[in-house]
Amino acid sequence: MNKPKMAMEKCASRVLMLLSQLDRLNEEPKVCDTDAIRQITGKILHILQTQEKTRKEMVSKGSSGMEVILSSLENTRDLQTTLNILNILSELLTVGGGRRIGAFVSKGGTAILLQLLVSSSKDLPLNEELMLHIHSLLVKVGPKDRKFCVKARLNGALNVTINLVKRNLQNCKMLLPCLQVLRVYAGNMVNAVSLGKSGALDLMFEIIGPYSKKSTTLLKVALDTLAALLKSKMNARRTVDRGYLPTLLAIYQDWHRNDIRHCHLIIRKSILGCIKNLTAIKLGRKAFVDANGMRILYNTSTECLPVRTLDPLVNVSSLIMRKCFPKNRLPLPTIKSVYQHPLPHIPAGGPVAQLYSQPPEVDDVVDESDENETTEIDTENEEDETGHKRKNDDIETDINKLRPKQMQTRPFDELRIYEHFCVEFTEDFKSQDNDFKSCKAVIFPSSVDSHRPIVIPTTLAPVGSPKRGQQLENVQPHKLTESPLELGSISISKTPEGKSAPDLACSLSRLVLDGGSDDGHQEESGEQAVLEVPDTAAVLPLHDPDLYLEMMTYTRSVPAYTEVAYPDYFGHVALHLREPILERVYGVQRTKIFQDIERLIHPIDIHDKVVYDIDNQSSPVVENGESLKFNSKFESGNLRKAIQVRKFEYDLILNSDINSNHYHQWFYFEVGNMRPGVRYRFNIINCEKSNSQFNYGMQVLMYSVQEAIHGSPHWVRTGSDICYYKNHFSRSSIAAGGQKGKSYFTMTFTVTFQHKDDVCYFAYHYPYTFSTLKMHLRKLSDLRTAQIYYREDELCQTLGGNSCPLLTITAMPESSSNDHISQFRSRPVVFLSARVHPGETNASWVMKGTLEFLMSCRSEAQSLRESYIFKIIPMLNPDGVINGSHRCSLSGEDLNRQWQCPNADLHPTIYHAKSLLQYLRATRRTPLVFCDYHGHSRKKNVFMYGCSIKETVWQTNVNTSSCDLQEDLEYRTLPRLLSQIAPVFSLSSCSFVVERSKEATARVVVWREIGVQRSYTMESTLCGCDQGKYKGLQIGTQELEEMGAQFCLGLLRLRHFTSPIEHHKHNSHLLDVENDLIERRNIPNITSPTTYVLEEDEPAFLEEVDYSAESNDENDPDLEPDLQDNRALPDPSSDSEFSHQDCLT
């Protein structure tokens, strides 16, 4: 054995021997030899200082060394012995980290140290070395002992430390450990209040001061201690009352000016941390504004922006400024919708009754966040476990409620009226001899006056020489806006190939198409005005501008729209170019926020000019030729107000859903009078969701009329510098349904127009109007052949007087023989619906793909028609679509929350759709599949929500027997098939959990009450895909329609799994699914990606995306359509540059 090793073992054995001697002396206090103990502890200390590895022997498992040392410390009264033991402990705890400190705490070391501190403080004069050693140990031990703060308070140690600080303000050596211990003490709110009363705040302000290169470590600790103390609102108020906030601002300015090499970034950030805690209270915010804090932090932050390493300072400064930015109400007379619609009756206690019973001053905004703001900030930084618990709280755990119960809520005699929607089940097809007369559309006459004027809008342009391609012969543009032209007097001609397209705005203002006659305004020459439109018939077989105008005349809107948007009139041709998800530019959100703050700092630069306002239609906006011109008075349009805030910047406000005061997300509006090559910024300032895919690469959609006339009638993704963040506009707690601090969010984007005098349209997603649907259905009906059974019925009339179409599609029987008729009638039913939420236009494009496939001549389509009878409601909420709502019908309610008890008067489409389903069940024709098409604003890809008892219970801690969880797993077959067929479909995003908050949705009610096991909501992204062949691309209408067709192929494959002959061949795949689920279930802390309550996974930004320091993440009804509590996009709050969350609020 080598000599060093032998020496080490000799030292270790010697330490153990000394500890044994020390233990014997501790056990015999009567014969305790103070000198001996002093010598033994001195020897132990010497060995530990010279032989590091002997420390392991003292604290190794099974060793009693720590207990012996602590016992000696507790019993000794000798100063030198005490110092020796404290030095021994310091040596032991310096190396080894948390494990050794944990052992020290578990053996009562913290209490012994605190008792020693208090007892030693009574011996005068105080021994500085002893106090220094005790506090140095407490600094190491305190953060590792969860009960340290309580122990310190109960032992009376707080006052001892604070008195030491008072006596040693000029003694940095003693002051530093005392401040470090104070910082730990202040981590407890009760301790912080007690220290504040004892003068700790004043002491901190005696220590911190202007820029200095000396004692920077001490200053940093003092600032951190102050920040901890100021988390107490009582201390914050005391600090503000004593006028310390301006002092902090002055200190920060001084450090900012003098720290030119940015060597003391941590100190500068600590000063901001103290200011941040002071502004957490209303009094602090007022003092901050009064002290010109907004301008100070704005100026210092602006100087920091070019230096990326100073981002932490900019982030905290931005957070403080946004928090202190005065809360304002929206610049509207009321946040209620501009339009109201009388209801047959208003249920007491319902949303409409509550809305119109609110006092006039309900929209007034006051600062209500003082009571719970600190709690909210803390909550934002909690781990995801807490959020997961909250989500699990919404999961249904009652097995009896989960188990489907087919209830006959209406007598069958009442349901007989729905027989005429199912005539195919009684039709004998003999008298028609296969001529499909029996399946012609049943068109219900509309009560709409078809002779109202229809307008194709553009902005007015200066009258000049007519340019090529479009001539308005003998018609002065200014007269066109005043006098309607007869429908027959307008000739719509297609632009011939090779002919140049017209310059639109220079020769066309606004064409009014009137079905009536007005001879006084006809051209004397009798010649027709010619509007040339691009010929899109070759690529858009289902689009016809003439037919669209005809359908438009039968569409009823609450505002009585008479104008037609060009994109709806011309049509949209899907782009063949790929549109990648936009890469987020570093610093874009911060830049936008600072531009917003500039409005308060430099108000003289703000125009604040209203350029569009549907609240004041009687007072036309004065035009000066410099401002953009806006319009949204057409079907599905939504823009309430436009305010020019800078020369090329506009704030836009969306209208609430009718008979509501919220749901702002869908937009669709027209812009004209632009300058080419100029960057225009648009801010939609009353968004409500706490996050959006606009922060994750989604762009707005733009349609250029000039481009359309030149042969490119496309909606294209556009916009740069796009971001979404919390702003300073807010609603009162009453208007927000009792929630405090209900702020709005801004969605901002920048656009550079390419053409002079163009007319451009912007939309949240690809528009799909009710008139478009009617046009498509008319064109589809023309596609039917002798092999296709197609019938269109009117399910009901909506509140607004529009018809809700119901389609029946299947294959005609091969003949009128009994066998073929029997086979025809035995086909299972597939029930599809879409567009219950008007703003989810992508659902209509998916439905369009489904309908086109079903009506096509493909062999797969014929097989599908021969396999099923399709009942399809392509638009469940026509009124909402027509009037530009985002979520509600004219009743002011979300129709997808009315399926449990729909009201025939207020929710007619849901009432009759459910009744039809009940009729099908009563006649033993329960649908094999029910699917409601939706759009999802916070997730990527296409996915499904379904219903499963087993997978719901597995998300909870409820103990159930296996017999309670017996369930056919075939509800998973269709999603699995779609994941194999459709590149945009994501099986990992699917969920089959049933939540309490979704018990009134179509998916759950149809599953539970109608007994449809395969009851789904199919969600389509509004943004794009992060998997498959479309990964990294924004979704377009081509991909959405493709998904609709692929859904049909999935149903065709499903038929093989459900047919009696084939069923036994495919049971093995269900066993594989169940085994997979069980395996995932048995892995602790692992949740199946297809069963858990979904949370969106988004890559972290280099720039944090912070929404607000005060955001309260309330239940957002628009998170769904079917998974409200699935926080797809977390609300960021961290300060890290590589976080999901964004500290810019």
Side-chain angles (χ1 to χ4, degrees), residues 315 1102-1106 1134-1137 1141-1144:
N315 290 346
L1102 291 179
E1103 176 191 15
E1104 304 154 2
V1105 183
D1106 174 28
S1134 84
D1135 185 89
S1136 163
E1137 191 170 287
Q1141 304 174 341
D1142 182 4
C1143 266
L1144 293 181

Side-chain angles (χ1 to χ4, degrees), residues 254-475:
D254 188 68
W255 279 87
H256 173 79
R257 281 193 298 264
N258 292 286
D259 185 25
I260 55 177
R261 295 187 178 181
H262 312 305
C263 299
H264 303 292
L265 182 63
I266 296 178
I267 291 178
R268 293 160 66 181
K269 186 177 179 182
S270 296
I271 300 172
L272 288 175
C274 295
I275 298 173
K276 173 174 170 277
N277 289 345
L278 284 176
T279 54
I281 62 172
K282 190 188 308 184
L283 186 65
R285 291 190 286 273
K286 183 179 184 303
F288 176 83
V289 173
D290 293 343
N292 206 21
M294 295 289 286
R295 186 178 295 273
I296 291 172
L297 290 194
Y298 174 80
N299 291 336
T300 55
S301 299
T302 303
E303 294 171 7
C304 292
L305 282 175
V307 185
R308 190 143 175 185
T309 56
L310 301 182
D311 280 357
L313 301 181
V314 177
N315 290 346
V316 180
S317 297
S318 174
L319 187 149
I320 295 170
M321 287 187 287
R322 296 183 65 190
K323 192 190 301 183
C324 296
F325 204 115
K327 292 291 182 184
N328 294 326
R329 60 176 290 172
L330 289 169
L332 297 171
T334 173
I335 62 173
K336 300 182 182 112
S337 174
V338 177
Y339 307 114
Q340 300 180 23
H341 182 76
L343 301 179
H345 61 88
I346 300 178
V352 178
Q354 295 176 10
L355 178 69
Y356 292 107
S357 64
Q358 292 173 352
E361 66 277 6
V362 68
D363 294 333
D364 293 340
V365 175
V366 295
D367 191 344
E368 305 168 296
S369 53
D370 207 16
E371 287 78 9
N372 62 350
E373 197 157 79
T374 301
T375 303
E376 290 174 348
I377 296 171
D378 292 341
T379 303
E380 282 189 324
N381 293 317
E382 288 178 357
E383 295 296 328
D384 290 339
E385 295 178 7
T386 305
H388 186 67
K389 290 178 183 177
R390 284 197 299 267
K391 294 170 190 172
N392 282 350
D393 289 342
D394 186 43
I395 297 176
E396 183 58 72
T397 57
D398 189 333
I399 297 296
N400 293 324
K401 291 183 179 179
L402 278 174
R403 191 172 288 110
K405 295 179 180 179
Q406 298 183 31
M407 301 175 291
Q408 187 67 37
T409 55
R410 296 179 62 187
F412 184 71
D413 288 342
E414 293 184 13
L415 295 174
R416 285 187 184 277
I417 62 173
Y418 297 95
E419 285 179 346
H420 72 278
F421 295 133
C422 303
V423 295
E424 66 276 6
F425 295 123
T426 56
E427 180 64 57
D428 59 13
F429 295 95
K430 293 180 180 179
S431 59
Q432 275 69 27
D433 194 20
N434 284 344
D435 65 356
F436 65 86
K437 287 182 182 178
S438 61
C439 55
K440 285 189 176 179
V442 179
I443 304 296
F444 286 76
S446 174
S447 59
V448 184
D449 178 10
S450 62
H451 297 291
R452 57 195 180 87
I454 302 296
V455 183
I456 304 176
T458 71
T459 53
L460 286 171
V463 180
S465 301
K467 297 194 177 181
R468 57 181 179 175
Q470 179 174 314
Q471 301 293 330
L472 298 182
E473 300 178 8
N474 302 319
V475 178

Side-chain angles (χ1 to χ4, degrees), residues 467-654:
K467 297 194 177 181
R468 57 181 179 175
Q470 179 174 314
Q471 301 293 330
L472 298 182
E473 300 178 8
N474 302 319
V475 178
Q476 295 299 321
H478 70 277
K479 292 183 179 179
L480 286 173
T481 60
E482 301 169 358
S483 307
L485 295 173
E486 288 187 2
L487 182 60
S489 70
I490 298 297
S491 170
I492 301 172
S493 63
K494 310 296 183 183
T495 305
E497 291 185 9
K499 183 175 180 180
S500 301
D503 188 335
L504 175 73
C506 289
S507 56
L508 176 68
S509 64
R510 181 167 291 163
L511 291 181
V512 184
L513 307 186
D514 191 351
S517 62
D518 190 351
D519 296 336
H521 295 283
Q522 294 300 311
E523 297 302 312
E524 295 179 2
S525 63
E527 296 180 0
Q528 293 181 330
V530 178
L531 170 61
E532 295 186 359
V533 299
D535 187 1
T536 57
V539 288
L540 289 177
L542 297 186
H543 189 86
D544 184 337
D546 296 323
L547 182 58
Y548 183 85
L549 292 180
E550 181 183 343
M551 295 296 102
M552 174 68 183
T553 61
Y554 292 96
T555 298
R556 298 191 67 177
S557 61
V558 173
Y561 292 135
T562 60
E563 302 177 17
V564 182
Y566 272 110
D568 304 323
Y569 178 66
F570 284 167
H572 158 71
V573 178
L575 274 177
H576 294 294
L577 298 176
R578 295 189 171 186
E579 297 179 293
I581 290 175
L582 187 67
E583 183 176 350
R584 186 182 178 90
V585 178
Y586 183 86
V588 59
Q589 178 167 299
R590 183 170 51 215
T591 302
K592 300 300 181 183
I593 290 170
F594 272 78
Q595 290 175 3
D596 291 349
I597 293 172
E598 282 179 9
R599 301 187 190 187
L600 187 67
I601 306 298
H602 306 296
I604 194 171
D605 297 334
I606 303 305
H607 295 189
D608 201 24
K609 173 188 173 185
V610 177
V611 295
Y612 180 75
D613 188 0
I614 61 175
D615 283 283
N616 297 308
Q617 300 185 55
S618 59
S619 303
V621 175
V622 178
E623 300 178 0
N624 59 4
E626 293 292 325
S627 305
L628 292 178
K629 298 176 182 178
F630 294 84
N631 182 41
S632 66
K633 299 173 186 176
F634 45 78
E635 186 176 353
S636 293
N638 190 337
L639 178 64
R640 181 170 184 172
K641 193 171 188 176
I643 304 171
Q644 185 178 16
V645 292
R646 295 184 178 94
K647 187 173 183 179
F648 301 114
E649 181 179 353
Y650 294 82
D651 281 353
L652 310 178
I653 302 176
L654 306 180

Side-chain angles (χ1 to χ4, degrees), residues 1030-1081:
Y1030 299 127
K1031 181 178 181 179
L1033 300 178
Q1034 297 185 75
I1035 202 161
T1037 56
Q1038 182 174 337
E1039 292 75 33
L1040 292 169
E1041 293 183 50
E1042 179 185 88
M1043 182 66 234
Q1046 288 160 342
F1047 180 81
C1048 293
L1049 293 177
L1051 289 174
L1052 186 59
R1053 289 196 185 182
L1054 178 68
R1055 185 58 177 153
H1056 295 296
F1057 289 94
T1058 56
S1059 61
I1061 298 177
E1062 300 286 338
H1063 190 269
H1064 70 281
K1065 299 181 182 179
H1066 302 283
N1067 283 337
S1068 60
H1069 92 283
L1070 296 176
L1071 294 176
D1072 295 339
V1073 171
E1074 183 164 26
N1075 291 334
D1076 179 59
L1077 289 174
I1078 293 173
E1079 288 174 5
R1080 293 180 183 273
R1081 167 67 172 162

Side-chain angles (χ1 to χ4, degrees), residues 100 157 185 253 287 453 473 561 599 654 738 756 811 919 1015 1035 1048 1111 1127:
R100 293 187 183 181
Y185 288 163
Q253 277 185 294
E473 300 178 8
Y561 292 135
R599 301 187 190 187
L654 306 180
K756 183 181 180 182
Y919 173 79
S1015 180
I1035 202 161
C1048 293
S1111 83
R1127 300 291 183 208

Side-chain angles (χ1 to χ4, degrees), residues 663-729:
Y663 300 118
H664 310 104
Q665 186 169 333
W666 167 257
F667 58 86
Y668 184 17
F669 58 88
E670 170 197 315
V671 175
N673 200 41
M674 65 282 290
R675 294 184 186 179
V678 173
R679 288 172 56 84
Y680 287 91
R681 177 183 171 185
F682 299 96
N683 312 305
I684 299 176
I685 63 174
N686 64 331
C687 301
E688 292 180 285
K689 287 191 174 184
S690 58
N691 206 342
S692 169
Q693 281 288 332
F694 283 117
N695 274 327
Y696 300 90
M698 187 167 85
Q699 293 175 281
V700 298
L701 284 149
M702 186 182 81
Y703 190 105
S704 165
V705 178
Q706 287 280 17
E707 291 290 335
I709 293 177
H710 282 79
S712 299
H714 309 297
W715 280 103
V716 296
R717 300 278 186 173
T718 191
S720 60
D721 296 348
I722 299 175
C723 56
Y724 187 98
Y725 56 89
K726 194 173 209 178
N727 60 38
H728 63 281
F729 293 108

